[in-house]
Amino acid sequence: MLYVVVLGVPGAGKGTQAKRLSAALGLPHVSSGDLFREHIQNGTPLGIEAQRHIDRGQLVPDEATIGMVRGRLERPDAASGAILDGFPRTIPQADALEAIAKDFDATVGPAFHIRVPLERLVDRMAGRRVCREAGHVYHLAYNPPKQAGVCDVDGSELVQREDDQPETVRNRVQVYEKLTAPLVAFYRSRGVLQEVNGDQPMGAVTAEILAILGQEAAR
Ligand code: AP5
Ligand code: MG
């Protein structure tokens, strides 16, 4: 049982790659950001709390985040593992994941660090569109929908994410540098870090990750 971790700055392509890996490996895609957005859409108490932080580009407190992700990993579809996108995001969350893995007899890693130069992110965020219904992700230039403004999967309207405003993106990147970047050293010290070049077409990034997973499996 494997928890594959996907790390990277906002807009690096974590969600895009996690979705593709989920399909290739048959493990569920567990995105803490998506889980929070579901809570917000459903108006739950956690959603109301999370929204205050997300709208400012700040992290949701660790305790609430860890409880939510643990609950998700307890569901039967995660019995063989999961692709974790956006969690862990702080050292306490990484420690909590080790504890969860111990409880479920799972291994943490590989941890893929998708590296993208900061100057690419403005373009990635500005062009991102997500569907209102289920958050399916597009990019106006790099991954456009078949019909402008309409989700290919469920036909709902495509909109911009609230937290993709330039000012909020700046905060998110700063928070990443301060609280999440240390996880790269954390996973390197455990011998499970894998650096991936995220500054290439989406399919090439996926191929790079799958090649590493293939090598690991053969070891
Ligand atoms: P979250 O939703 O996780 O946002 P994020 O980390 O800021 O990352 P993004 O979803 O913006 O980017 P991504 O790396 O997934 O890129 P994507 O694949 O979409 O979190 C949102 C908020 O929730 C946080 O700010 C925080 O408040 C809260 N939160 C979440 N998890 C938390 C936690 N663990 N603890 C506390 N708080 C938490 O790609 C971006 C765009 O680029 C898309 O349009 C895509 O089509 C395009 N694209 C992707 N790859 C490529 C490529 N190779 N070439 C060209 N375009 C590409
Ligand atoms: Mg994402």
Side-chain angles (χ1 to χ4, degrees):
M1 171 159 175
L2 205 63
Y3 293 143
V4 175
V5 174
V6 184
L7 290 171
V9 284
K14 298 181 296 297
T16 300
Q17 295 306 323
K19 209 163 210 38
R20 288 157 168 255
L21 291 178
S22 162
L25 303 176
L27 295 174
H29 170 199
V30 173
S31 155
S32 42
D34 287 353
L35 291 172
F36 283 131
R37 284 184 284 275
E38 251 175 66
H39 277 278
I40 291 171
Q41 204 156 24
N42 295 332
T44 68
L46 176 58
I48 292 166
E49 189 198 350
Q51 183 152 32
R52 285 193 294 124
H53 302 281
I54 293 176
D55 284 352
R56 292 184 320 203
Q58 304 292 338
L59 296 188
V60 180
D62 282 336
E63 204 181 322
T65 304
I66 292 165
M68 175 183 73
V69 173
R70 178 184 266 274
R72 175 66 187 86
L73 293 175
E74 279 169 358
R75 284 183 17 203
D77 67 333
S80 309
I83 312 293
L84 296 174
D85 155 17
F87 181 92
R89 231 178 173 93
T90 61
I91 297 286
Q93 290 182 19
D95 288 336
L97 180 61
E98 305 275 313
I100 294 170
K102 207 163 166 209
D103 289 351
F104 294 158
D105 211 10
T107 309
V108 179
F112 292 102
H113 177 212
I114 305 182
R115 300 176 63 156
V116 175
L118 284 182
E119 61 265 26
R120 281 288 176 283
L121 301 180
V122 178
D123 189 33
R124 294 244 182 131
M125 301 305 214
R128 173 160 58 189
R129 295 293 182 275
V130 297
C131 87
R132 224 184 248 299
E133 188 62 32
H136 294 116
V137 180
Y138 299 85
H139 191 284
L140 295 179
Y142 309 126
N143 182 23
K146 292 193 181 80
Q147 189 188 336
V150 180
C151 179
D152 293 349
V153 184
D154 57 36
S156 71
E157 186 193 2
L158 299 185
V159 294
Q160 280 195 281
R161 248 169 65 175
E162 279 296 330
D163 61 346
D164 276 352
Q165 306 298 328
E167 180 59 30
T168 316
V169 169
R170 265 195 292 281
N171 287 344
R172 285 160 62 198
V173 171
Q174 275 173 10
V175 167
Y176 176 87
E177 299 294 351
K178 189 163 165 229
L179 296 173
T180 308
L183 293 183
V184 172
F186 178 97
Y187 286 115
R188 187 178 290 124
S189 74
R190 278 164 174 68
V192 297
L193 186 79
Q194 296 285 353
E195 302 274 11
V196 175
N197 175 15
D199 190 15
Q200 50 181 342
M202 296 170 201
V205 181
T206 312
E208 198 174 316
I209 295 175
L210 289 175
I212 294 169
L213 282 168
Q215 283 161 15
E216 295 244 328
R219 269 204 284 166

